[in-house]
Amino acid sequence: MTLPAILATSAAACRARDEGRPFRVLSAPDAEDLEAIAARILPSDDSTGAREAGVIHFIDGALADYEAGALGLVRESLAELRRDLRSEYGAASFAALDEARQIAVLEAIEDTSFFETVRYLTVAGMFSHPDHGGNRNRIGWELIGFDQQPAPPPFGHYDAEYSEKGA
């Protein structure tokens, strides 16, 4: 995927997040469960978490574009997870479980490719640049104390003439 395509995807994800538009590739039940999983990975306890940062919009945008290869895995794994939840807990979805059961379910699947993918997308959505669809209002950056400052340009051969004049 090219940088312009990634930037266009990011801009579209931000607009969708900010305008509350429907998801690009996620169904409403999939988005609800993925958001609940992300909220367990980065919970809203003593600080803001994945839900407040709009991580689900980053995940949707990523699965629509540059992580499209993982979309099948995510959909199949969510369907399998729901089947297991219905038989084990009588619950229709991950989001319908209480916090303790959600944690138990995630502990049971934490070594799967599905969980690794969702964890990666959650963390990326929490701490990436807000232009990529997550990190709403720079919540993730605020959480880790990151203050984005413009960096001065690196100096090198192109400024040698300027340096000589000032000397």
Side-chain angles (χ1 to χ4, degrees):
M1 180 154 224
T2 64
L3 183 58
I6 292 171
L7 293 175
T9 299
S10 299
C14 288
R15 284 190 304 276
R17 175 198 65 204
D18 296 341
E19 296 170 7
R21 283 189 284 158
F23 296 104
R24 294 173 59 198
V25 295
L26 294 175
S27 66
D30 286 353
E32 183 181 28
D33 279 343
L34 286 172
E35 184 175 48
I37 292 169
R40 287 296 111 229
I41 294 170
L42 293 170
S44 307
D45 43 23
D46 295 335
S47 62
T48 54
R51 197 177 305 270
E52 293 82 11
V55 165
I56 190 60
H57 295 282
F58 174 87
I59 292 172
D60 180 61
L63 292 173
D65 291 315
Y66 56 88
E67 288 292 333
L71 182 58
L73 167 73
V74 169
R75 284 182 173 157
E76 291 167 18
S77 298
L78 284 171
E80 182 180 340
L81 179 64
R82 288 188 193 108
R83 281 191 300 273
D84 293 345
L85 293 175
R86 274 192 294 278
S87 67
E88 193 166 332
Y89 299 110
S93 69
F94 181 84
L97 296 174
D98 62 43
E99 182 179 332
R101 285 191 174 156
Q102 286 180 345
I103 291 169
V105 167
L106 292 181
E107 286 174 347
I109 65 167
E110 68 184 341
D111 292 327
T112 65
S113 295
F114 166 69
F115 183 78
E116 289 177 11
T117 299
V118 175
R119 179 178 51 209
Y120 162 74
L121 291 172
T122 299
V123 172
M126 183 74 174
F127 300 110
S128 66
H129 195 283
D131 288 350
H132 298 283
N135 196 7
R136 180 185 298 137
N137 298 324
R138 295 175 167 77
I139 286 173
W141 289 356
E142 191 174 298
L143 186 65
I144 60 173
F146 177 71
D147 182 24
Q148 182 186 17
Q149 297 292 320
F155 295 103
H157 73 281
Y158 59 85
D159 65 340
E161 185 178 309
Y162 174 79
S163 295
E164 288 175 8
K165 288 180 184 177

